[in-house]
């Protein structure tokens, strides 16, 4: 930022005064922007289009909670499948058998590089491509599979890193007591690895919750609407964006607490490492 | 038939071109306490880790309690039940409390019921003087307490042989004594022990035999009085002089 009389100012003031002055300028700029917006915007129209009180109540009363619940079910199922498949992929990546490593790497790179939308489209087309094939628990099966496929590719790398972060001495201690490799994995390595992985895995859960908005691809009846599809349908009906805003808030109800918990855990882990 | 509990014959091990164990022969009788001393990098840890096959020798034979650990068909998990190991860095399971640390292998390896396993674990904790810390997590204990729990954890399996790899080297000086006391009692109870240590006082007092290693070979061995008191080999003398000067 250019200061017209910079030299005079710089020579005349202490660093502290200059910092204070810089902050004051930023506040003034902010106030100007807010003032201009407040003055120029058509607030009644904005309020009516985005935050119509009657429509908020109407949305909440007609299926919001059902949609919120569906979003939870879609993402939770996808997360569980992704976690299981991701663990398997991580173990394959760490396997002594080279083809397992190649297969897992191929899968992970493939599905991490692909838009989730394409996975959803492909899975919803499967029954067309294979005559007579029906995904179980329709529509949940298709959604869970799609989210699980996408999620597992991301989670596998997180889980692999977590497993590698478990100190060698822990594993040697277990083996020296006579635990088999499988017992060591189950009793020692995975529990410790998952402890390290809770923050990054929670972040992946948040990603999956947002990705679950892609279920509209699958073609749903109203009872199976998720938050996005529900909000969009209501917004179309009323030619008003308010229901979509409400649906967006529905996501935040789920994701904000998760984000806060993750921050807390990361802060605690950081302070624990310092101690 | 040979009565030795541990028998190493012509054991060699190479790490990236470096011969860390060079044709080692060593026998340990039942009830014997053997202290292994030697300069850093001489192969003491590697030797000890070959005895429970945490390292696999390149050649030679390792037989413990009649089981040939170097046989590819040997059931290594079963063999390790007979061999307790105590590490320099304790290696207590960080996500389990003290009691679970001691009871885990009793349950998963020996298949004991929870109550039975915990009773045995408590007995061992009592024996090392830590029964009152059963519900603590490893991170809440001092190094000396952690090492005593690690000893209790190994003893709970009722092993025929105990291996110690510098069990007091990571401890603050004032905590060394408690751990050595426990080990001394273990020796007095007739436990077969192989102890890698820099504690010359402990070796002199407790060992039946002292083995001096250098550059992957056993250079000299004998009673503590012989090896520590009247070393025959120049390298042993040098080493002992350096240790006594620094210690
Ligand atoms: N896993 C490994 N990979 C490569 N080199 C190793 C490995 N383990 C040990 N070494 C090397 O083998 C040599 C002997 O190591 P070892 O740990 O057995 O010595 P030590 O006598 O126990 O020494 P210290 O008193 O420092 O513990 C060292 O040079 C070490 O660097
Ligand atoms: Mg060592």
């Amino acid at each position: 930022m250019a200061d017209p009389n910079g030299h005079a100012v710089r020579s005349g003031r202490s660093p502290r005064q200059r910092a204070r002055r810089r902050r004051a300028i930023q506040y003034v700029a902010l106030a100007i922007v807010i003032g201009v917006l407040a003055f120029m915007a058509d607030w009644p129209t904005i309020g009516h289009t985005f935050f119509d009180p009657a429509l908020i109540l109407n949305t909440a009363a007609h299926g919001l909670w059902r949609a919120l619940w569906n979003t939870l079910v879609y993402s939770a199922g996808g997360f569980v499948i992704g976690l299981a498949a991701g663990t398997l992929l991580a173990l394959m990546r760490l396997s002594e058998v080279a083809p397992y490593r190649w297969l897992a790497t191929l899968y992970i790179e493939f599905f991490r590089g692909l838009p989730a939308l394409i996975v959803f489209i492909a899975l919803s087309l499967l029954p067309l491509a294979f005559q007579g094939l029906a995904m179980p628990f329709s529509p949940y099966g298709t959604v869970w599979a799609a989210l699980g496929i996408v999620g597992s590719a991301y989670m596998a790398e997180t889980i692999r890193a977590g497993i590698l972060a478990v100190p060698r001495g822990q594993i040697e201690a277990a083996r020296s007591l006579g635990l088999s490799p499988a017992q060591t994995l189950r009793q020692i390595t995975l529990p410790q690895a998952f402890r390290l992985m809770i923050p990054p895995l929670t972040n992946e859960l948040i990603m999956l919750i947002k990705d679950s908005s892609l279920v509209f691809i699958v073609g749903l009846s109203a009872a199976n609407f998720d938050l996005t599809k529900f909000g969009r349908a209501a917004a179309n009906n009323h030619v008003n964006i308010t229901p979509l805003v409400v649906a967006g808030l529905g996501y935040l109800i789920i994701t904000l607490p998760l984000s806060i918990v993750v921050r807390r855990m990361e802060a605690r882990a950081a302070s624990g490492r310092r101690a | 038939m040979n009565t030795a509990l541990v028998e190493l014959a012509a054991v060699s091990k190479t790490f990236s071109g470096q011969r860390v164990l060079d044709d080692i022969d060593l026998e340990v009788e039942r009830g014997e306490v053997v202290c292994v001393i030697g300069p850093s990098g001489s192969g003491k840890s590697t030797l000890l880790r070959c005895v429970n096959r945490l390292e696999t020798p390149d050649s030679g034979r390792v037989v413990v309690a009649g089981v040939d650990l170097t046989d590819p068909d040997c059931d290594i998990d079963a063999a390790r039940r007979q061999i307790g190991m105590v590490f320099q860095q304790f290696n207590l399971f960080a996500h389990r409390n003290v009691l679970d640390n001691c009871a885990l292998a009793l349950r998963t390896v020996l298949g004991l019921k929870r109550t039975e396993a915990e009773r045995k674990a408590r007995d061992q904790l009592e024996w090392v003087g830590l029964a009152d810390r059963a519900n603590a997590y490893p991170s809440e204990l001092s190094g000396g307490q952690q090492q005593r729990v690690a000893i209790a954890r190994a003893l709970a399996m009722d092993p025929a042989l105990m291996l110690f790899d510098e069990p007091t080297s990571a401890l603050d000086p004032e905590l060394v004594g408690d751990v050595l006391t426990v080990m001394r009692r273990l020796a007095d109870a007739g436990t077969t022990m192989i102890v890698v240590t820099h504690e010359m006082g402990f070796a002199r007092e407790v060992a039946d035999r002292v083995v001096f290693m250098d550059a992957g070979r056993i250079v000299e061995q004998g009673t503590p009085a012989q090896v520590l008191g009247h070393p025959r080999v120049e390298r042993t003398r040098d080493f002992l002089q350096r240790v006594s000067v620094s210690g």
Side-chain angles (χ1 to χ4, degrees):
Chain A
M1 238 185 273
D3 190 343
N5 40 13
H7 280 295
V9 169
R10 213 143 286 168
S11 57
R13 295 175 204 275
S14 72
R16 204 151 119 229
Q17 283 171 317
R18 282 210 299 275
R20 203 184 302 156
R21 193 182 144 87
R22 233 179 356 249
R23 222 173 304 134
I25 291 173
Q26 291 180 40
Y27 275 116
V28 169
L30 183 65
I32 290 172
V33 170
I34 291 174
V36 168
L37 280 180
F39 183 72
M40 297 202 5
D42 179 359
W43 284 111
T45 309
I46 290 178
H48 169 262
T49 311
F50 286 88
F51 308 102
D52 182 348
L55 205 43
I56 291 177
L57 291 179
N58 182 298
T59 309
H62 291 93
L64 174 68
W65 306 113
R66 169 103 218 173
L68 185 73
W69 172 250
N70 283 338
T71 287
L72 274 176
V73 171
Y74 290 137
S75 2
F79 184 74
V80 169
I81 293 179
L83 195 62
T87 305
L88 184 68
L89 285 165
L91 294 177
M92 285 171 70
R93 283 274 273 139
L94 296 168
S95 167
E96 290 166 5
V97 182
Y100 280 155
R101 293 200 300 271
W102 301 333
L103 279 175
T105 307
L106 197 70
Y107 176 99
I108 290 166
E109 294 306 329
F110 185 78
F111 283 108
R112 280 208 305 186
L114 223 54
L117 183 60
I118 288 198
V119 177
F120 270 88
I121 295 174
L123 279 191
S124 64
L125 292 179
L126 269 188
L128 289 180
F130 297 95
Q131 291 294 327
L133 176 91
M135 291 297 271
F137 309 115
S138 173
Y140 295 101
T142 310
V143 177
W144 287 338
L147 288 176
I149 286 171
V150 173
S152 64
Y154 283 94
M155 286 190 247
E157 289 300 87
T158 306
I159 297 168
R160 188 177 80 100
I163 290 174
L164 289 177
V166 175
R168 228 190 126 59
Q170 297 282 308
I171 294 157
E172 290 187 346
R175 295 305 309 277
S176 75
L177 284 165
L179 273 75
S180 70
Q183 287 169 333
T184 303
L185 188 69
R186 226 191 72 60
Q187 301 285 348
I188 307 299
T189 318
L190 286 182
Q192 293 202 25
F194 276 107
R195 209 147 305 215
L196 298 170
M197 286 166 349
I198 290 174
L201 283 180
T202 310
N203 282 329
E204 319 242 330
L205 175 60
I206 292 173
M207 302 283 287
L208 280 189
I209 290 168
K210 293 189 291 177
D211 280 346
S212 74
S213 63
L214 296 169
V215 295
F216 73 90
I217 299 291
V218 173
L220 301 169
S221 58
N224 293 322
F225 279 3
D226 75 310
L227 276 172
T228 301
K229 178 68 184 162
F230 164 78
R232 188 173 157 206
N236 281 337
N237 270 346
H238 296 95
V239 198
N240 188 296
I241 299 172
T242 303
L244 213 51
V245 172
V246 173
L249 289 175
Y251 283 103
L252 292 180
I253 290 175
I254 312 173
T255 54
L256 274 184
L258 288 174
S259 299
I260 292 169
V261 168
V262 171
R263 285 220 185 154
R264 287 250 172 93
M265 286 188 298
E266 280 171 345
R268 197 177 328 141
S271 70
R273 232 174 287 129
R274 246 179 284 126
Chain B
M1 205 189 128
N2 202 319
T3 58
L5 181 63
V6 181
E7 193 187 341
L8 277 69
V11 169
S12 292
K13 176 83 186 170
T14 303
F15 281 125
S16 48
Q18 183 200 358
R19 210 162 168 81
V20 175
L21 293 182
D22 190 2
D23 200 23
I24 297 272
D25 293 310
L26 181 69
E27 288 189 6
V28 179
E29 304 295 329
R30 275 182 203 278
E32 199 178 11
V33 176
V34 174
C35 282
V36 181
I37 62 172
S40 179
S42 57
K44 308 181 295 293
S45 297
T46 308
L47 174 73
L48 201 68
R49 291 160 60 85
C50 282
V51 177
N52 69 351
R53 222 180 80 182
L54 282 182
E55 303 289 356
T56 310
D58 299 334
S59 60
R61 252 162 52 98
V62 178
V63 181
V64 178
V67 180
D68 184 353
L69 303 192
T70 38
D71 178 352
D73 291 333
C74 119
D75 180 352
I76 188 65
D77 298 330
R80 282 176 178 152
R81 286 173 217 164
Q82 298 288 314
I83 311 170
M85 185 156 199
V86 174
F87 301 85
Q88 185 175 349
Q89 298 297 337
F90 330 132
N91 296 347
L92 291 183
F93 303 132
H95 63 304
R96 292 184 174 252
N97 70 22
V98 164
L99 188 66
D100 285 347
N101 261 276
C102 298
L104 175 70
L106 293 172
R107 297 180 63 194
T108 50
V109 178
L110 300 184
L112 296 191
K113 288 207 180 61
R114 172 179 220 114
T115 48
E116 175 72 357
E118 292 189 348
R119 195 184 54 71
K120 278 193 137 182
R122 265 180 219 286
D123 286 350
Q124 289 305 331
L125 286 172
E126 186 118 24
W127 197 80
V128 300
L130 286 170
D132 55 327
R133 304 312 308 272
N135 294 318
Y137 278 82
S139 59
E140 299 164 354
L141 302 181
S142 75
Q145 290 174 327
Q146 289 189 55
Q147 195 60 298
R148 279 145 68 200
V149 173
I151 294 173
R153 174 176 71 178
L155 289 178
M157 298 294 285
D158 201 11
L161 168 70
M162 284 289 289
L163 308 176
F164 294 85
D165 191 358
E166 299 197 31
T168 57
S169 292
L171 298 180
D172 292 336
E174 73 271 19
L175 301 176
V176 169
D178 287 343
V179 173
L180 291 184
T181 302
V182 167
M183 291 172 63
R184 201 170 287 129
R185 283 172 54 206
L186 205 54
D188 290 343
T191 314
T192 314
M193 299 161 64
I194 305 179
V195 185
V196 174
T197 187
H198 288 305
E199 296 286 336
M200 293 306 153
F202 177 83
R204 181 172 293 119
E205 195 188 328
V206 178
D208 298 305
R209 180 155 44 116
V210 173
V211 171
F212 174 70
M213 282 186 74
D214 191 21
R217 288 177 158 273
I218 292 178
V219 174
E220 182 167 1
Q221 57 178 314
T223 65
Q226 286 168 351
V227 177
L228 302 178
H230 307 281
R232 287 175 287 113
V233 182
E234 181 68 37
R235 269 186 289 175
T236 318
R237 276 199 290 274
D238 284 352
F239 172 74
L240 290 174
Q241 205 145 36
R242 257 179 295 138
V243 173
S244 65
V245 167
S246 68

